[in-house]
Amino acid sequence: MYKNDVKYMSVALDEALKAFPEVYPNPKVGAVIVHDDKIISCGHTQDFGGKHAEVMAIENMPSTLKGCTLYVTLEPCTHKGKTDACIDLITPNIFKRVVIANLDPNPIAKGGVKKLIKDGIIVETGICSKNAKKINRRFFTFFEKKRPYIILKIASTLNGVIAEKDGNSEWITCQESRTSGHKARSCCDAIMVGRKTIEFDNPSLTSHGLGKNPRIIIIDPKNKLDHKANVFKSDPIVFSDILNSKKPIENVSIILKKLYDLSIQSLYVEGGGQTISYFIDANLYDELQIYYSPKMIGEGKPLYNGMKKLKDNLNLTLNKIEQFDNDIKVTYLKGY
């Protein structure tokens, strides 16, 4: 590793953050080209189907330069899909070194490092790896853990209650908080709720016009739902017959395996409390988003009613605190 590798990779990470959500299902990637210890070109992934970061950076550089170093946050792809393989543009007549934050976990696209080495280019990997992974948590979770990236979303009173005793929860949070939640839905492939949420609230589970609508996933172990509910207007995926009614916590893994097979990369779990509790007890989630409203309910349904005890470490790191009117949204990341 050269002394300025971290410095230039940090610039590449900043480039990656410029990519819009529309790059999905591709990851957000940044690239920086350096010559004689000076940055001469940068690029980041364009919308899905558009140019990749390496292509953008190479097209923006002077074509006469030799002996350059390319810094890229993800291994250059070898796969030809909607665009040509990036690796074909990284040639030894232009590049002496390529510095990579992370290898590509996608089996279809990986293999770029081997080709670079074969072509006589010096390759360094693992520079700023952890920070690069954070930018594409959903992408890496899907390919490395063979399941969707899971966000647990909860709307709660200050004393940890998500609904009154009879199930009424309209409305715990303010309109701004609900709009924030609708936007979050649009950034996920699928949204999941349990049967009781459908019965009590009869929600649409759409993005309310704030983006694409997620695929609706419903847990209904005993197949009790009335198919006249709003969610059945959009052909939801309903889990019932394949579930284990005696050990509900095992259902989480069954469901996630099926969603992985369906190429669902991100899952937004909105509840209810029992469904959220199953995911927490199964230790299968990546992000926890709690919207706290300045309200109190004396008797009601708790946001969690599982098996965890005080001694159990949830391994959560505070990531962000946001304010919506008088509500507070707290976001925790798991495992960082």
Side-chain angles (χ1 to χ4, degrees):
M1 183 175 74
Y2 290 10
K3 66 176 182 179
N4 286 330
D5 280 353
V6 172
K7 168 186 171 183
Y8 292 128
M9 186 60 76
S10 296
V11 177
L13 292 174
D14 289 340
E15 279 294 314
L17 291 170
K18 294 178 183 178
F20 293 108
E22 286 76 15
V23 304
Y24 176 83
N26 289 336
K28 298 179 180 182
V29 179
V32 170
I33 298 174
V34 174
H35 185 263
D36 287 343
D37 210 26
K38 293 181 181 179
I39 294 176
I40 59 170
S41 182
C42 298
H44 60 267
T45 312
Q46 303 302 292
D47 292 357
F48 181 60
K51 295 176 180 179
H52 291 191
E54 303 93 312
V55 177
M56 296 295 294
I58 291 171
E59 289 185 350
N60 290 333
M61 69 175 287
S63 59
T64 56
L65 291 177
K66 311 287 183 183
C68 298
T69 298
L70 170 66
Y71 293 85
V72 62
T73 58
L74 187 68
E75 180 181 16
C77 68
T78 58
H79 173 65
K80 183 175 181 179
K82 289 184 175 292
T83 63
D84 290 335
C86 297
I87 200 69
D88 294 336
L89 292 178
I90 307 171
T91 57
N93 63 313
I94 299 175
F95 296 100
K96 179 181 179 181
R97 293 177 73 231
V98 174
V99 182
I100 301 168
N102 289 118
L103 300 181
D104 197 327
N106 184 348
I108 295 176
K110 69 180 183 179
V113 166
K114 288 183 179 180
K115 186 176 186 304
L116 292 172
I117 293 174
K118 183 179 179 181
D119 290 343
I121 296 174
I122 299 169
V123 178
E124 300 271 1
T125 62
I127 309 300
C128 301
S129 172
K130 187 174 181 179
N131 289 336
K133 272 194 172 185
K134 283 184 179 181
I135 294 173
N136 292 299
R137 290 189 297 269
R138 301 181 185 198
F139 176 79
F140 280 97
T141 296
F142 181 77
F143 284 106
E144 292 181 345
K145 298 184 178 180
K146 303 292 188 292
R147 64 165 175 79
Y149 182 89
I150 301 161
I151 300 171
L152 305 183
K153 180 259 184 175
I154 301 169
S156 171
T157 63
L158 290 179
N159 62 322
V161 176
I162 62 172
E164 293 178 332
K165 200 171 183 179
D166 62 0
N168 176 46
S169 61
E170 194 176 58
W171 297 100
I172 285 181
T173 55
C174 69
Q175 181 59 56
E176 288 184 30
S177 291
R178 298 197 295 275
T179 298
S180 167
H182 298 155
K183 289 179 180 178
R185 289 176 181 177
S186 74
C187 295
C188 291
D189 290 338
I191 182 171
M192 174 182 285
V193 296
R195 171 181 59 85
K196 291 181 180 179
T197 296
I198 304 299
E199 290 179 340
F200 284 126
D201 300 337
N202 193 22
S204 66
L205 300 179
T206 68
S207 68
H208 291 258
L210 298 176
K212 70 177 179 65
N213 291 326
R215 187 75 186 269
I216 296 173
I217 315 293
I218 303 170
I219 303 176
D220 184 16
K222 297 182 180 179
N223 205 16
K224 288 185 174 181
L225 275 176
D226 181 352
H227 283 223
K228 293 181 181 179
N230 288 330
V231 290
F232 287 97
K233 297 176 182 178
S234 60
D235 189 28
I237 299 172
V238 181
F239 285 94
S240 55
D241 295 340
I242 68 171
L243 300 181
N244 184 341
S245 60
K246 293 182 179 180
K247 295 183 178 180
I249 194 172
E250 294 181 0
N251 291 337
V252 177
S253 295
I254 293 172
I255 291 168
L256 295 181
K257 173 62 169 64
K258 180 63 175 178
L259 297 184
Y260 173 78
D261 292 341
L262 293 172
S263 296
I264 290 176
Q265 196 177 111
S266 54
L267 177 65
Y268 194 66
V269 183
E270 277 209 18
Q274 192 65 68
T275 300
I276 293 287
S277 297
Y278 288 149
F279 274 83
I280 292 175
D281 286 347
N283 206 33
L284 286 169
Y285 63 102
D286 304 284
E287 191 169 323
L288 179 61
Q289 299 181 357
I290 307 179
Y291 292 81
Y292 285 105
S293 173
K295 296 177 181 178
M296 297 283 189
I297 297 177
E299 286 189 72
K301 299 180 180 294
L303 64 85
Y304 173 74
N305 59 359
M307 300 180 293
K308 295 292 185 184
K309 299 183 182 300
L310 187 61
K311 65 180 182 180
D312 295 323
N313 180 10
L314 298 183
N315 195 22
L316 296 175
T317 300
L318 180 62
N319 183 60
K320 186 187 295 185
I321 298 176
E322 301 168 85
Q323 182 174 351
F324 299 101
D325 197 1
N326 289 315
D327 292 354
I328 296 294
K329 177 186 177 183
V330 182
T331 301
Y332 290 95
L333 299 181
K334 188 172 180 60
Y336 287 93

